[in-house]
Amino acid sequence: MGHSNVWNSHPKNYGPGDFAVFLVVNRDNLLGGKRKQRGLTRVWVYWLKTILRGKMSSDRQWMYKRFMNGILIQEFLNGLETFINFACSQSRWMDGDKIKCPCNNRKCQNMSFRDVNTVKYHVAKYGFVPNYFVWIYQGESTMAVDSDQNEGSESYVCSEEPSNTYHRMVNEAAGADFNMDDMDEPPNPEAQKFYDMLKAADNELWPGCKTHSQLSLVARLMSMKSENHMSEKLFDQVTKLMKEIVPDNNLVTDNFYSTKKLLRGMGLPVEKIDCCFNGCMLYWGADSDLISCKFCDHPRFKKPPRVAEKRQKTKVAYKKMYYFPLIPRLQRLYASNATAHDMRWHSEHEVEQGVMRHPSDSLAWKHFNQIHPDFAAESRNVRLGLCTDGFQPFGQSGQQYSTWPVIVTPYNLPPWLCMKEQYMFLSILVPGPKNPKDKLDVFLQPLIAELNHLWDVGVNTYDISKKQNFMMRAALMWTVSDFPAYSMLSGWSTAGRLACPYCMDKSDAFTLKFSGKQSWFDNHRKFLPANHPFRRNRTAFRKNKTVTTVPPVVRSGDDILTEIQSLGLKKVTEMDATRTNGPICRTCGWRKHSIFWDLPYWRSNLIRHNLDVMHIEKNVFDNVFNTVLNVDGKTKDTFKSRQELNDYCRRPELKRNEATGKYPKACYTLDKKARQTLCEWVKILKFPDGYVSNMGRCVDMKKLKLFGMKSHDCHVFMQRLIPIAFREILPLNVWKVLTELSLFFKELTATTIKTDDMVRLENDIPLILCKLERIFPPSFFHSMEHLLVHLAYEARITGPVQYRWMYPFER
C-alpha cells in the first residue's frame, strides 16, 4: 500500500511498522510544515503520542513507587523535587506562585492550584494521578521528538502550551481534544460565540506583550477581587493605575463595569428580575412595565432621597431575584469535548437486568421513554433534577435572613460525573429575608417557562463530539428537597395528621392526649400481609384493635391533578389565589395548585417529588439515639409520654409506681453506667481519614450525650456503629430491631441496588416498624418514622438514593 496520502482512516488500523515507512516517505512534508493534510497529521499525532508515552512511562516509573517497607523511598523524593522544579519553571502554567496539584485526591487531580509545599505533601500522601507520565498540566509538551536520535540534525516540536492563562482556561472548558479545524459541520451562531473566545484569548494586551492577553488580565483581576473582597472603588483605582503604567495603545479595561462587560463573552448570562417586596409577583413578562404590585399594591421602586431626587436617573427596586438561564449552560455541555460524549452515556452503557446503578436503569426513566418515544429517540436530550433548600448566609452574625437557591442538575452523565459540583447549575437565587413558603412558585416562573420551551420547541445546539447541530430538548424528571420544602414544591401540606404525601387522607395518625403532638403509632400493620399475626394482635399495639385495612394505593399524576382541579385550587401566581385556596386548605391536605403542573409531561412521571433519605435518616437516628441515651429535652420517653402510654397500649411494666410517684426505667433506655461506657467508646473511636468527622469532639462526658453531629456523622453511626455500640448494653429484642433498622438503611443507600432487594425491603420495613411499635412509646413515632415505609418503593421506581438525596447539594 502507499504511504504518502492514503492515511485517511483511523490510525489504529495501521501498525508501527507501517508508521516507520510512513515517516521515511513523508519526512520532508511533515518537517516542512505541510500539516494541513488531515490523514498525515492524524497518524503522525497518534503514533508520536503513543511512542512518547511509552518512552515517558519507562523513564518515570518512580512516580508510582512511593513506599518501601512503609517509608518513602529516596528515588521518589528526588523525582518529586524534579517535578516541582519543572512545574515552577513554567510560569505561564502557574497561578501566581501556585501550581496545579497532580495528586490523586479527588479535590485536586490537576484541577486545583496549590502552593508548592502543599503539592509536595499531597503527592507524598496520595500519590500521582494514574498514568500521568507526561506533565501536560504543568506545561510539559506531549509531542516533543528529538529526531537527532535517527537523523542527527533536525527535530520537530509541537507544543500544547496555551498562549496565556485565559487561553488555557478556555481550552480546559472545551476539552483536551478541541480542534477548530476538525469540524464536519459549522457550529450554529450561539455555539460560535464559545469558540470565538479562543481567538479573543490571543489578543495582545499591548503590541509586543507576550505574557498576558486582555482576557487573561481580566480573568486574573476578577479572581483577585473575589479572593480578597476588593471593593469596586478599589478595583477602578487599580485598573486606572495599570492603564497609566503600561504602554500606549493598550487594552487594559478602565473600570469594573467594562471588565464585567468583557467577561460576559463567556456566554453564561444572568438576569436580574425585579420582584414584589412581599414576594407576591415578578415584574417579568407581561408584567415587566408595572410600577406597583398587582396583589398588594406595594410600590416597585424605592423613593429616592430628596438630595438625589433630581440627579438620580436609575430607579432602584425594593427587591430583585437572580435568574441564571439554563439553556446556555446545557449547550456548554455539548460544546466541550470533556462532556459532550458523556452526555450520551445513559443510552449507550450496558444495562444488567434487575440491577440499577444510575437513574437511567430505573423504572421511572424507562416509563418516561415509553410515554414519550419522540423525546427518547434522541439520546442527547437532557433529563434534569431540581433541588432547593434555604440557608442563612448571615447566620453567624445573628441576622435573620433566609435565601433559597434553586439548583438544576443533568442526569445524562455517568455515575462518576453525575451529581458532581461542576455539573450543578444554580438556576434561581430567591432573595430574603423571609422564607418564601408557598410563594416559591412565583420565583420559579422563568425556569418553568424555559423548561416548557425546551420541551415544546427545543434549542439548536452544536455537539462537538459528533460535530453536528441538533435540536436539544430537556425534561424535568423530579425534585429533591427536605420535607418542609417538599410542601413548597408539591403543594401538599407536610404538617399535621395528613403529612404523608403517599397515604394522604388514608393516614391513621392521631393527636396524643397529653403531648398534643401527632403520632403515627400503629400506622404500619396495614402494610403487612393480610394473614400476618400482628394484624390480629390486640395487646402489643393499640389496645383492643385489629387491622384489616389494606395499604393505600399510590396515586398517579393524572388522579392527583384531577383532584386538585376539582377542588378549585389556584396557582399562587393567579389573582385571588390566597382568598380561594384558604377555605379549601382547611378541608384537605392541598395548599395550592403547584406550578410544576404547567409542564405538559409532569403528570406522566411516576415520581414527581422525592423524599429526602438524608434528612429522614438523620431524624430517625436522633430520635433513636436521644431516646436510648435518655437525653433531657430530646428523648421521646417523657413524663407526658408515660402518662398517656397506657391509654393507648398495654404496658403494665411501665406504669407509675403509686408508692414512690415515679415511673420505672424502660427496657429501651440506658442507665448511667451504660451511657458512660458508650460515650467513652465513641470518644476513642478512630476512622480512616475523610471517612467521617472526629466524633470524639461530639461527646459530652459531663451530660453523657452526643451533640453537634452532622448529617453524615449520623449516617455513618446509623449504618455502621449502631449494631456494635448497642450489642452488649441493650436487651436482645431491642438490639435486634435496631440492627434490622440499621441494615435497612445500609441496603437502601447502596450505590448499586437490585430490584428484588428493593421489593424485599418494601416487605421488611413495615415489620421492622411494627417491632419498634411493640417497644417504644407512641410519642416516638413522628412523620419521619412513618416515611420509612415508602423509601424502598421510591428506590425501586427511581433508582439509587445517591442521585436523589440532599448530600451533594448541601455540600
Side-chain angles (χ1 to χ4, degrees), residues 662-682:
K662 297 182 179 180
Y663 288 98
K665 174 186 170 298
C667 66
Y668 48 79
T669 59
L670 301 177
D671 57 24
K672 183 176 181 179
K673 183 179 179 181
R675 281 184 286 156
Q676 186 171 358
T677 302
L678 177 62
C679 290
E680 289 174 349
W681 178 73
V682 174

Side-chain angles (χ1 to χ4, degrees), residues 113-150:
F113 285 95
R114 311 282 187 192
D115 60 79
V116 170
N117 290 331
T118 301
V119 172
K120 287 182 180 180
Y121 172 74
H122 278 200
V123 174
K125 183 176 182 179
Y126 303 108
F128 285 93
V129 291
N131 299 317
Y132 190 54
F133 296 108
V134 182
W135 303 331
I136 57 174
Y137 292 103
Q138 285 72 32
E140 185 173 47
S141 170
T142 61
M143 296 173 55
V145 176
D146 186 0
S147 301
D148 293 348
Q149 295 177 1
N150 296 325

Side-chain angles (χ1 to χ4, degrees), residues 205-207 243-251:
L205 196 57
W206 65 82
K243 199 166 183 66
E244 294 173 2
I245 295 174
V246 299
D248 295 337
N249 301 325
N250 62 76
L251 298 178

Side-chain angles (χ1 to χ4, degrees), residues 315-503:
K315 296 181 179 179
V316 180
Y318 274 97
K319 186 183 288 189
K320 292 183 180 181
M321 66 161 282
Y322 290 85
Y323 178 62
F324 305 85
L326 182 62
I327 289 175
R329 286 158 176 81
L330 296 180
Q331 288 178 318
R332 186 60 55 84
L333 294 175
Y334 284 104
S336 170
N337 266 314
T339 52
H341 181 268
D342 289 327
M343 289 294 287
R344 303 194 304 273
W345 180 91
H346 67 95
S347 65
E348 298 174 354
H349 76 287
E350 294 183 5
V351 179
E352 186 178 348
Q353 188 66 28
V355 177
M356 292 181 283
R357 297 182 176 89
H358 187 267
S360 60
D361 303 329
S362 68
L363 180 61
W365 193 293
K366 296 172 182 176
H367 173 79
F368 192 91
N369 288 348
Q370 293 174 356
I371 300 297
H372 308 287
D374 56 330
F375 182 87
E378 174 56 81
S379 63
R380 291 172 292 188
N381 287 336
V382 186
R383 321 290 179 106
L384 302 168
L386 181 145
C387 171
T388 187
D389 194 13
F391 74 98
Q392 298 276 350
F394 311 114
Q396 293 182 349
S397 64
Q399 182 180 354
Q400 294 297 317
Y401 193 97
S402 177
T403 299
W404 286 72
V406 178
I407 299 171
V408 177
T409 184
Y411 283 121
N412 294 41
L413 295 165
W416 53 90
L417 296 177
C418 192
M419 307 300 289
K420 295 295 186 273
E421 181 181 356
Q422 56 267 39
Y423 303 113
M424 292 183 183
F425 306 134
L426 177 63
S427 182
I428 295 172
L429 194 59
V430 179
K434 296 181 179 179
N435 185 334
K437 297 185 178 179
D438 288 343
K439 293 180 180 179
L440 179 64
D441 286 4
V442 171
F443 302 95
L444 290 173
Q445 289 178 91
L447 178 60
I448 296 298
E450 192 171 17
L451 288 172
N452 275 322
H453 176 77
L454 282 169
W455 175 262
D456 297 330
V457 181
V459 59
N460 192 24
T461 303
Y462 185 73
D463 181 1
I464 187 65
S465 65
K466 288 193 172 183
K467 298 177 177 61
Q468 60 183 219
N469 293 292
F470 74 102
M471 192 61 67
M472 180 184 68
R473 298 170 64 197
L476 182 66
M477 298 297 292
W478 49 62
T479 68
V480 180
S481 63
D482 58 14
F483 207 44
Y486 189 109
S487 173
M488 297 163 61
L489 294 170
S490 67
W492 178 264
S493 174
T494 54
R497 292 188 298 107
L498 303 180
C500 178
Y502 282 95
C503 296

